[in-house]
Amino acid sequence: MAVELFNNGKHICLAFYDLVDEEHDHAVQCNQFMIADSGHGALIDPGGNLTYNALLMAMQRYFPSKELVWLLASHPDPDIIASVNKWFVASPCKVLISKLWTRFVPHFTTGRDIQGRIDGIPDEGMEIPLGESRIKAIPAHFMHAEGNFQFYDPVSKILFSGDLGVSLVDHDVAGLPVKDFDAHIPLMEPFHRRYMVSNKILRFWAHMVRQMDIEMIVPQHGQRFVGKAMCNRFIDWIEKMPCGIDLMTQDNYRAP
Amino acid sequence: MAVELFNNGKHICLAFYDLVDEEHDHAVQCNQFMIADSGHGALIDPGGNLTYNALLMAMQRYFPSKELVWLLASHPDPDIIASVNKWFVASPCKVLISKLWTRFVPHFTTGRDIQGRIDGIPDEGMEIPLGESRIKAIPAHFMHAEGNFQFYDPVSKILFSGDLGVSLVDHDVAGLPVKDFDAHIPLMEPFHRRYMVSNKILRFWAHMVRQMDIEMIVPQHGQRFVGKAMCNRFIDWIEKMPCGIDLMTQDNYRAP
């Protein structure tokens, strides 16, 4: 069932937490997001082939397929965008993804009907028009992909943070906001230590987002952080974490 | 047309350089590889939906689909493994990929017939039986994916290096060995500076592979390095390159 993150009557943000049955599908739980503004829509990280049918059905309660304008992809992993060929058939949407990956996305497709439908986001980010609003693509390179973006919605003040802030939980827990930050740390820590690339980058990110007006941080797996106090707990925590290459030594690089 | 990299009558290594029409498909050129030993086969980085049909046809000249034992995936990008669902239908093969990605691969699929068919390679690598030979999974984490492997074939002494050593060239050039290393540098340099994660990791890699007996380095895009002298030119060059997070500053992390 969809969770309504924001709704002022003409601008709506929805999150889908239970479209993957991680036990049955042997797949990692993941979240999908929809933003509708004035009858036009965008999907953020719509997922792979496991989530397509349910997401299409849910979306059509808010706008018809022909008004799906954007697929916004934080990076090119299969749980992010492997369903792209189906969305291209079902709607006139375009994909926006880091310009590092525009020529990789066609490998998800049959190669038909893709011309002019995959646009690159420059490294510095961009503003993306949606109805009467504008979504911002925020640089998040190396968290984790080399070309990586988060998406910030200035109307709802939600930061869709991709793989940053992820927790690995069941889909029935994923839909609930984080209540106790300290108790939540063990659900985040192993993932961030191995899949985030370096503390250097986390510090750049923390410095950047402290200057933004953020009410909610919503990652692509697991639970969201609601309210400025809880968002700041996350920012303060992640800024100090050594991860990725910080922890690698020559011992990790030996032929078996 | 397939290029025969090695053939001693019972152990054969093939490379496919021209299955993607990068102009027509708006997709990055990429290479696929097949190893056959004693009538059993493995595909390395078989690619996405653009390469499946041609690769299936070519492979069957060497062994039937029912003897396709492994899909060996360096990492989970679409040009590496987006065709996995088709291979699962066409053969009894299993996927071997970093254990970081085993629960992401099902998102490429419909979720049917995947149980027990996606196995994780531990961070330290492993030996993979194929016919009477054994392929080695060599740690290549953060070059570029967080969980990343290269595949070394001790019979042919070929290192299939994934995204390391990549050059961005047309498919008619990709099939030729590198002749002039200095002239080749501009075809490699921009990619490695942005898609490789850090010089720290490149130095670990160089130290590791100098202790291996390598006659050929074969990347997943572009041209291969043939002979110990040319392989050493590449190792010496990449070892000194700053890249990825080494080059990032706070200026790269500002909201637009």
Side-chain angles (χ1 to χ4, degrees):
Chain A
M1 207 180 71
V3 173
E4 200 172 80
L5 302 177
F6 182 87
N7 189 346
N8 69 4
K10 65 171 249 195
H11 187 92
I12 301 163
C13 300
L14 290 190
F16 302 86
Y17 288 97
D18 59 0
L19 303 189
V20 174
D21 181 347
E22 60 273 6
E23 282 291 310
H24 176 265
D25 297 331
H26 311 283
V28 67
Q29 185 275 336
C30 58
N31 311 330
Q32 301 75 39
F33 310 106
M34 187 203 87
I35 305 179
D37 189 287
S38 312
H40 303 276
L43 297 174
I44 299 178
D45 294 349
N49 291 313
L50 300 173
T51 58
Y52 169 77
N53 286 333
L55 192 53
L56 177 69
M57 292 301 118
M59 178 188 91
Q60 290 184 323
R61 276 180 248 140
Y62 297 86
F63 52 84
S65 306
K66 71 180 173 54
E67 300 300 343
L68 178 62
V69 183
W70 301 115
L71 299 185
L72 306 179
S74 57
H75 62 292
D77 280 356
D79 57 316
I80 299 293
I81 190 73
S83 58
V84 58
N85 204 69
K86 295 185 178 188
W87 293 106
F88 277 171
V89 172
S91 83
C93 72
K94 283 186 169 194
V95 170
L96 276 175
I97 193 167
S98 161
K99 69 179 170 58
L100 271 68
W101 306 118
T102 49
R103 285 168 60 83
F104 292 76
V105 172
H107 289 280
F108 282 120
T109 76
T110 57
R112 287 189 289 275
D113 301 327
I114 65 169
Q115 193 167 10
R117 300 187 70 178
I118 304 167
D119 284 351
I121 306 173
D123 270 357
E124 62 271 24
M126 65 183 284
E127 294 199 339
I128 302 157
L130 179 68
E132 297 172 18
S133 71
R134 298 177 85 79
I135 310 299
K136 289 180 188 240
I138 306 290
H141 314 306
F142 300 97
M143 294 182 290
H144 64 100
E146 291 75 38
N148 204 112
F149 286 95
Q150 298 172 350
F151 296 100
Y152 175 69
D153 173 16
V155 178
S156 64
K157 303 183 179 177
I158 296 173
L159 180 66
F160 296 94
S161 62
D163 274 338
L164 195 71
V166 155
S167 47
L168 297 179
V169 298
D170 289 342
H171 61 264
D172 51 347
V173 176
L176 306 172
V178 175
K179 287 290 179 203
D180 179 340
F181 189 82
D182 292 320
H184 191 64
I185 288 175
L187 304 173
M188 300 190 287
E189 189 159 346
F191 177 89
H192 287 82
R193 281 200 190 279
R194 187 65 181 83
Y195 289 79
M196 293 294 124
V197 163
S198 173
N199 178 259
K200 173 181 175 176
I201 301 300
L202 299 177
R203 283 184 281 123
F204 291 152
W205 178 83
H207 182 76
M208 173 179 66
V209 298
R210 285 206 181 97
Q211 299 169 55
M212 295 167 62
D213 183 10
I214 296 171
E215 285 292 342
M216 207 184 293
I217 294 176
V218 185
Q220 191 244 338
H221 308 274
Q223 296 176 257
R224 62 194 178 276
F225 305 90
V226 177
K228 282 192 162 47
M230 192 60 90
C231 291
N232 287 335
R233 288 293 310 271
F234 175 72
I235 296 167
D236 292 346
W237 176 76
I238 197 72
E239 184 182 30
K240 296 187 181 74
M241 173 177 276
C243 60
I245 70 158
D246 307 334
L247 308 173
M248 291 280 147
T249 69
Q250 185 70 61
D251 276 345
N252 298 104
Y253 295 84
R254 298 195 187 286
Chain B
M1 205 179 73
V3 173
E4 200 171 81
L5 301 177
F6 181 88
N7 189 345
N8 69 3
K10 66 171 247 194
H11 187 90
I12 301 164
C13 300
L14 290 190
F16 302 85
Y17 288 98
D18 58 1
L19 302 190
V20 174
D21 181 346
E22 60 272 8
E23 282 290 313
H24 176 266
D25 297 330
H26 310 284
V28 67
Q29 185 274 336
C30 59
N31 311 330
Q32 300 76 40
F33 310 105
M34 187 203 85
I35 305 180
D37 189 285
S38 312
H40 303 276
L43 296 175
I44 299 178
D45 293 349
N49 290 313
L50 301 172
T51 57
Y52 169 76
N53 286 334
L55 192 53
L56 178 67
M57 291 302 118
M59 177 189 92
Q60 290 183 323
R61 276 179 247 139
Y62 296 86
F63 52 83
S65 306
K66 72 180 172 56
E67 300 299 344
L68 178 63
V69 183
W70 302 114
L71 300 185
L72 305 179
S74 56
H75 62 293
D77 280 355
D79 57 316
I80 299 294
I81 188 75
S83 57
V84 58
N85 204 70
K86 295 185 179 189
W87 293 107
F88 277 172
V89 172
S91 82
C93 72
K94 283 186 170 192
V95 169
L96 275 175
I97 193 166
S98 161
K99 69 180 171 54
L100 270 68
W101 305 119
T102 48
R103 286 168 60 84
F104 292 75
V105 171
H107 289 279
F108 282 120
T109 75
T110 58
R112 287 189 288 275
D113 300 326
I114 65 171
Q115 193 169 8
R117 300 187 69 179
I118 303 168
D119 284 351
I121 306 174
D123 270 358
E124 63 270 24
M126 64 183 284
E127 294 199 340
I128 303 157
L130 179 68
E132 296 172 20
S133 71
R134 297 177 86 79
I135 310 298
K136 287 179 189 241
I138 306 290
H141 313 306
F142 300 97
M143 293 182 292
H144 64 100
E146 291 74 39
N148 204 112
F149 286 94
Q150 298 173 349
F151 297 99
Y152 176 69
D153 173 15
V155 178
S156 64
K157 301 181 180 178
I158 295 173
L159 180 66
F160 296 94
S161 61
D163 274 338
L164 195 71
V166 155
S167 47
L168 298 180
V169 297
D170 290 341
H171 61 263
D172 51 346
V173 177
L176 306 171
V178 175
K179 287 291 179 204
D180 178 340
F181 188 82
D182 292 321
H184 191 63
I185 288 175
L187 305 173
M188 300 189 288
E189 189 160 346
F191 177 89
H192 287 81
R193 280 199 190 278
R194 187 65 182 84
Y195 289 78
M196 292 294 125
V197 163
S198 174
N199 178 259
K200 173 181 174 176
I201 301 299
L202 299 177
R203 283 182 280 124
F204 291 152
W205 179 83
H207 183 77
M208 173 180 66
V209 297
R210 284 206 180 96
Q211 299 169 56
M212 295 167 61
D213 183 9
I214 295 172
E215 285 292 340
M216 207 182 296
I217 295 177
V218 184
Q220 191 245 336
H221 307 274
Q223 297 177 257
R224 61 195 179 275
F225 304 90
V226 176
K228 283 191 161 47
M230 191 60 90
C231 290
N232 286 336
R233 287 294 309 272
F234 175 72
I235 296 167
D236 292 346
W237 175 77
I238 197 72
E239 184 182 32
K240 296 188 182 74
M241 172 176 277
C243 60
I245 70 158
D246 306 335
L247 308 173
M248 292 279 148
T249 70
Q250 186 69 61
D251 276 345
N252 298 104
Y253 296 84
R254 298 196 186 286

